[in-house]
């Protein structure tokens, strides 16, 4: 999946070693971010008190720029030669190279700014999705009866057992199949409610003083939202810490008309809400449903003997499982 995002970001098919190098520098930053959070408070003083940490952050940033800027420059050269018009391919970085900032005299983005945006694109599209996927599979291992229900739903839709067809091609759950799987979708929503990868969204600020629910929020104050607490609020959800996908289904077993975007009220917001909502919402949901469906269709997932599933949390770039999932995987059919 990371390789696909690199292709979407830079538009050029890179060699495996180049993709791994991009992944190395991005992962290095992700795993270190919490160590640098102290620099957000009183930045000028923090750079002095935590000089070594500040120097380490700058070094990680230099490594990132050394890897990504040559790719950006290479793409710019191709755009200037009319490459995009000939091929009809538009990558994420293409839009950034053409972008102008009207509030700053129509200036274009610097290479350093483009690096930051490309990094956000690559990390937000991988770490959050893989984290959510692990939480989903952990709950399916912990609750085998739920795993059995979603497997039965997949079999009803596909009408056959997993396996191979002509020329050794695998039969997979396709994107169009997912639209007939409300229980699968409810499992994804329930996981995002109980275990959102990000317990906070990016901070916002108010442009003028406002009073809300008896509290005065001053102009330019930075505010955030406790995403995890919203999804676990017992005033909103019945038995909020219980994993019950059925809460998102109607009595007939269809998917309830639940609005995850917050346009009709906010009960959970794993992707944020409003005009700043995550632009990858639909792609993330598609990836999660697709991966889970095929993982469950082809394999039965069980906890190893004597190793129960522990759903304790640990904050990294996202909130991950404190003890990564261990599972015994058995093929459901000859492959």
């Amino acid at each position: 999946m990371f390789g696909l995002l690199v292709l979407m970001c830079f538009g050029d098919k890179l060699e495996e070693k180049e993709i791994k190098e991009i992944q190395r520098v991005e992962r290095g930053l992700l795993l270190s971010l919490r160590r640098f959070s102290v620099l957000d408070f009183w930045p000028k003083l923090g750079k002095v008190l935590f000089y070594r940490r500040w120097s380490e952050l700058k070094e990680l940033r230099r490594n990132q720029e050394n890897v990504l800027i040559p790719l950006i420059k290479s793409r710019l050269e191709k755009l200037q030669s009319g490459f995009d018009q000939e091929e009809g391919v538009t990558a994420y970085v293409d839009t950034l190279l053409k972008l102008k900032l009207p509030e700053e005299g129509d200036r274009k983005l610097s290479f350093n700014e483009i690096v930051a945006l490309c990094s956000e694109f690559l990390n937000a599209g991988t770490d959050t999705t893989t984290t959510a996927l692990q939480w989903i599979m952990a709950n399916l291992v912990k609750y085998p009866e739920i795993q059995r229900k979603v497997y039965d739903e997949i079999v009803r839709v596909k009408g056959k057992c997993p396996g191979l067809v002509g020329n050794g091609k695998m039969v997979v759950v396709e994107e169009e199949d997912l639209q007939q799987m409300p229980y699968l979708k409810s499992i994804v929503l329930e996981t995002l409610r109980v275990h959102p990868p990000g317990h906070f969204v990016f901070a916002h600020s108010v442009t003028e003083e406002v009073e809300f629910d008896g509290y005065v929020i001053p102009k330019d104050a930075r505010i955030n939202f406790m995403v995890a607490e919203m999804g676990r609020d017992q005033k909103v959800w019945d038995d909020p810490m219980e994993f019950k996908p059925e809460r998102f289904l109607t009595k007939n077993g269809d998917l309830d008309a639940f609005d995850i975007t917050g346009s009709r009220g906010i009960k959970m917001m794993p992707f944020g809400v409003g005009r700043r909502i995550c632009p990858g919402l639909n792609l993330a949901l598609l990836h999660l449903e697709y991966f889970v469906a095929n993982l469950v269709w082809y394999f039965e997932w069980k906890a190893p003997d004597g190793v129960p599933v522990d759903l304790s949390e640990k904050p990294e770039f996202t909130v991950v499982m404190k003890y990564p999932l261990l599972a015994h995987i058995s093929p459901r059919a000859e492959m």
Side-chain angles (χ1 to χ4, degrees), residues 112-230:
N112 288 340
E113 289 171 328
I114 294 176
V115 165
L117 292 170
C118 287
S119 177
E120 181 182 82
F121 177 89
L122 294 171
N123 292 331
T126 54
D127 195 75
T128 51
T129 303
T130 53
T131 297
L133 180 60
Q134 187 179 48
W135 282 116
I136 293 172
M137 297 311 298
N139 279 285
L140 293 184
V141 172
K142 187 176 182 66
Y143 304 108
E145 68 280 5
I146 295 179
Q147 184 180 162
R148 168 54 61 176
K149 287 182 181 179
V150 71
Y151 173 71
D152 291 342
E153 179 178 67
I154 296 168
V155 171
R156 284 197 300 272
V157 172
K158 295 300 292 184
K160 61 184 75 174
C161 294
L164 302 178
V165 293
N167 300 321
K169 183 179 179 181
M170 294 181 68
V171 179
V172 299
V173 178
E174 303 288 355
E175 181 177 346
E176 54 268 24
D177 298 324
L178 301 174
Q179 305 312 312
Q180 306 175 58
M181 300 180 183
Y183 193 69
L184 169 66
K185 293 178 180 294
S186 72
I187 289 173
V188 173
L189 289 174
E190 179 70 343
T191 303
L192 291 174
R193 180 190 70 81
V194 184
H195 304 289
H199 282 204
F200 295 92
V201 294
F202 288 115
H204 293 57
S205 63
V206 292
T207 57
E208 58 184 31
E209 183 178 295
V210 61
E211 183 175 345
F212 177 76
D213 199 22
Y215 294 91
V216 175
I217 304 175
K219 179 181 178 181
D220 296 329
R222 296 182 66 186
I223 59 175
N224 213 316
F225 304 89
M226 302 179 70
V227 175
E229 295 302 317
M230 289 181 182

Side-chain angles (χ1 to χ4, degrees), residues 124-125 128 270-282 284:
T128 51
F271 296 96
V273 294
R275 65 178 182 173
R276 302 295 185 185
I277 195 171
C278 173
L281 182 156
N282 291 323

Side-chain angles (χ1 to χ4, degrees), residues 29 32-41 43 45-62:
L29 272 171
S32 303
L33 282 179
R34 285 185 59 80
R35 296 188 60 251
F36 304 129
S37 60
V38 66
L39 298 172
D40 290 337
F41 302 97
L45 182 60
K47 292 176 184 179
V48 176
L49 296 178
F50 304 98
Y51 176 76
R52 290 185 179 179
R53 202 167 298 189
W54 172 240
S55 298
E56 182 183 347
L57 176 59
K58 290 195 296 182
E59 180 64 24
L60 287 170
R61 175 64 178 182
R62 278 193 295 268

